[in-house]
Amino acid sequence: MVLVGSSGDKDRTALVDFQGNPVDNSRTGGWLAAGLILGTELSERICVMGISMNMVTYLVGEMHLSSSKSANIVTNFMGTLNILGLLGGFLADAKLGRYLTVAIFASIAALGVALLTVSTSIASLKPPPCDDSRRNTCIKANGSQLAMLYLALYTIALGGGGIKSNVSGFGSDQFDASNPKEHKAMVYFFNRFYFCISLGSLFAVTILVYIQDNVGRGWGYGISAGTMIVAVAVLLGGTKLYRFRKPQGSPLTTIWRVVYLAWKKRSIPFPSQNSFLNECLDRAAILDDQVVASGNTNNPWLVSTVMQVEEVKMVLQLIPIWSTCILFWTIYSQMNTFTIEQATFMKRNVGSFEIPAGSFSVFLFLTILLFTSLNERVIVPMARKITHEPQGLTSLQRVAIGLLFSVAGMVAAAIIEKRRREMAVHENTRITAFWLVPQFFIVGAGEAFAYVGQLEFFIREAPERMKSMSTGLFLSTLAMGYFVSSLLVTLVVAATGKSWLRNNLNKGKLENFYWMLAVLGVINFIVFLAFARRHQYKVQQSEVPAKGLEKELNNWQEGEFIDDIEKKAVGVEKEVP
C-alpha cells in the first residue's frame, strides 16, 4: 500500500492583482480596498433590513394576510437568502472567485429590489384597500399578486446570498497577515465590518421605513435599488486596488470525494508503519497495490491527498458548533416578525408624531453598534488583561455570550407581552411601544457577540481554500434559524388551534411562544457548551509553537496547519507492507 501526500504549494493560495501578477502591497489592499468592497454589503444590508423589518406590516396591512402567514413569508425569505450563501460560496471557491461572484450577485440583488419597487407601486398588483385587515373581512392578495411579490423577494434572496458569503472573505483578503501593520488591522476587521453594516441597518429601519410607511413603498424600495446600483459601480471602480485569490476548484467535490473514497476503502487496513493515519477518513489517502499497478495514481477519484483529507476533517469539525448556533437566529427572527407586530398594538406616539412600527427595531441596531464598539474598545482589552490571550475573547466565548443574551431576550419578551395583552384586554389600555426596548436591547447585545463570533469562527477555522464556502456555512445557520422559526410557528398553530398565535394578538398568547423559545434556548446552550469544550482551534491542532501575537495569528490565518501536515505526509510517502 502507498500513502499519497501532497507538497505544500503555497502558490495555489497566493494573492494576485487584477492583471494576475503577484500583488504589490504598497499599491493594493488595505482599508481603502476593503472599504470599497464592504460598501456592497452595506448596500445589501440597507436593502434587506429595509424589507425584512417592515415587510410583515405590509403583508398584514396591504396584502391582508394573517399574522402567522406574514411572519412565515418574512422568515422564509430571510432563510432562503442566507442558505443561498452556500451557493455563492461554492461558485466563488470553485470557479468565479470572490470578486466576480460579488459583482454578479450584487447586480441580481439590484434587479430584485427594482422588481419589488414595481410590485408595491402598481395598484393591480395589490388587493383593494381595506380599513382593518384584522377583522378578516378584507380581500386577500390573489395568486398572481403574491407571485410577483415572491419573484421580487427571491431574486433579492439570490443576490443577497451571493454577496454575503463572499464579501467578508474578499475583504479579509485585502490584509497581509505577515505584515505587522496590516496584521493589526486584520485583528479588528470583522468587528469593524459588522459595525459598518449595522449602520446600514440603522439607516434602513429609520429613514427607509419612515419613507415606506409615510411616502410610499415604491419610494422606499426605489431608494434601496438605487443604493445597490451605486454600490456595484463603486465595487467595479476599485478593481485595480484589490488583491485577488484565485479559485481552487470545488470544495464540495473535494468533500464528497474524500468521504466516498474513505467509505469505499473502509476494509483496507492502515499502513502499519505510520501512526499519522488512524481515522476513518484517512483511508481516502491510501492506494492499494492494484491501483498502483494500473498507473492511475493521480486519479482524484481513486485516491485523495493527505491535505485534502485534513481539509475535510477541519470542515466536519465545524458541524457540531454549526448545529448549536441555529437557535440563536430562530430567536433573533422574532425581532423581524412578532415583535414588530406587537408594536402595531401599542402606543407609538412621541407628541403628535407616530413612529412606524418597523422603526422600533432601531433600538436593536443601536444596541448592536454600542456593544460592537464596547467589544473593541473595552471588553476585548479587559479580557486580554485577564486571560493573557491576544484575542481576549475567543470566537466560541463570544458565541456563548450571545446565546445567553438570546435566552434572556425571550424571557423579557414573554413578560412584556403578557403585560401588554392583559392591559389591552382587561383595562382597554394600550401601553407604550417603548416597553419593547428591553427585548430589542438584550437580543441586539447578543447579536453583537454571536454574529462576530460565528463569522470569525467559521472563516478562521476553515481551510484556506474553502473560506467562501465556510462563510456560506455560517450563513446557513442564519437560514436554518429562520426556517426553524417558520416550522415552529406552523407546529404551534397546528398544536394549539391558533390559541397562541392569533391574527389579533390580544386574543392569542404570544408570550407562551416566547417562553417556549427561552426553554429551547437553555437546552441549546447546554449542548453548545459540551461541543465548545471539545473543540480544538486550528492553532492548537497544528502543534506549531506560537512566538507572539504575530506568529500565532499568521498560523491561524495562513493555514500553516495544512502545510505542516503535508510535510509530515511527504515524509511517509513510501511503500509499506
Side-chain angles (χ1 to χ4, degrees), residues 53 198 201-207 340 355-369 434 437 440:
M53 288 297 181
S198 295
S201 301
L202 190 63
F203 172 80
V205 300
T206 52
I207 306 300
I340 302 301
I355 302 173
S359 290
F360 274 88
S361 53
V362 67
F363 295 105
L364 178 73
F365 298 109
L366 285 174
T367 305
I368 292 169
L369 291 172
F434 285 99
V437 172
F440 278 125

Side-chain angles (χ1 to χ4, degrees), residues 461-497:
E461 293 299 294
E464 185 65 36
R465 298 188 302 173
M466 299 184 181
K467 283 192 174 182
S468 290
M469 191 200 73
S470 181
T471 308
L473 187 64
F474 156 64
L475 293 173
S476 71
T477 65
L478 280 74
M480 294 304 296
Y482 283 105
F483 288 141
V484 168
S485 177
S486 295
L487 176 63
L488 288 177
V489 168
T490 301
L491 293 176
V492 165
V493 169
T496 64

Side-chain angles (χ1 to χ4, degrees), residues 67-183:
S67 295
S68 58
K69 183 173 182 178
S70 299
N72 280 359
I73 288 174
V74 173
T75 51
N76 287 339
F77 159 67
M78 292 297 293
T80 302
L81 185 150
N82 287 291
I83 201 68
L84 285 171
L86 285 172
L87 173 63
F90 169 78
L91 291 175
D93 283 338
K95 190 69 176 178
L96 298 179
R98 293 167 184 164
Y99 167 75
L100 192 57
T101 304
V102 171
I104 292 173
F105 281 83
S107 301
I108 294 173
L111 173 62
V113 184
L115 290 173
L116 185 62
T117 304
V118 172
S119 173
T120 56
S121 300
I122 299 177
S124 61
L125 295 177
K126 297 182 288 185
C130 183
D131 291 336
D132 189 356
S133 60
R134 294 192 180 96
R135 296 184 181 276
N136 296 320
T137 59
C138 302
I139 299 175
K140 296 182 180 180
N142 59 38
S144 60
Q145 291 167 339
L146 288 176
M148 181 62 182
L149 179 67
Y150 290 153
L151 174 63
L153 289 177
Y154 287 101
T155 301
I156 296 170
L158 175 61
I163 295 170
K164 279 180 172 293
S165 58
N166 292 286
V167 164
S168 56
F170 190 29
S172 66
D173 285 343
Q174 308 311 307
F175 300 94
D176 181 1
S178 65
N179 180 300
K181 183 178 180 180
E182 292 192 21
H183 173 254

Side-chain angles (χ1 to χ4, degrees), residues 203-266:
F203 172 80
V205 300
T206 52
I207 306 300
L208 283 185
V209 166
Y210 177 82
I211 293 173
Q212 291 168 14
D213 284 357
N214 295 277
V215 180
R217 293 275 173 168
W219 281 100
Y221 297 138
I223 292 172
S224 297
T227 301
M228 184 57 71
I229 292 171
V230 171
V232 173
V234 170
L235 176 73
L236 297 177
T239 300
K240 293 183 179 180
L241 299 175
Y242 304 142
R243 300 171 187 173
F244 303 86
R245 193 179 301 279
K246 295 180 179 180
Q248 303 300 314
S250 167
L252 292 180
T253 301
T254 300
I255 293 172
W256 158 247
R257 197 160 50 207
V258 168
V259 173
Y260 165 75
L261 288 174
W263 173 256
K264 183 179 179 181
K265 300 177 183 182
R266 63 191 181 278

Side-chain angles (χ1 to χ4, degrees), residues 346-364:
M346 304 169 81
K347 288 192 298 185
R348 294 178 278 116
N349 295 83
V350 176
S352 59
F353 176 73
E354 185 176 63
I355 302 173
S359 290
F360 274 88
S361 53
V362 67
F363 295 105
L364 178 73

Side-chain angles (χ1 to χ4, degrees), residues 504-524:
N504 186 336
L505 295 185
N506 291 338
K507 297 181 179 180
K509 291 185 178 180
L510 178 60
E511 67 270 19
N512 288 351
F513 184 69
Y514 287 150
W515 282 119
M516 181 187 72
L517 289 175
V519 172
L520 291 175
V522 171
I523 297 171
N524 181 74

Side-chain angles (χ1 to χ4, degrees), residues 518-538:
V519 172
L520 291 175
V522 171
I523 297 171
N524 181 74
F525 178 73
I526 294 171
V527 176
F528 170 82
L529 287 182
F531 287 147
R533 288 173 64 87
R534 294 173 56 187
H535 181 80
Q536 287 188 318
Y537 288 104
K538 191 189 293 185

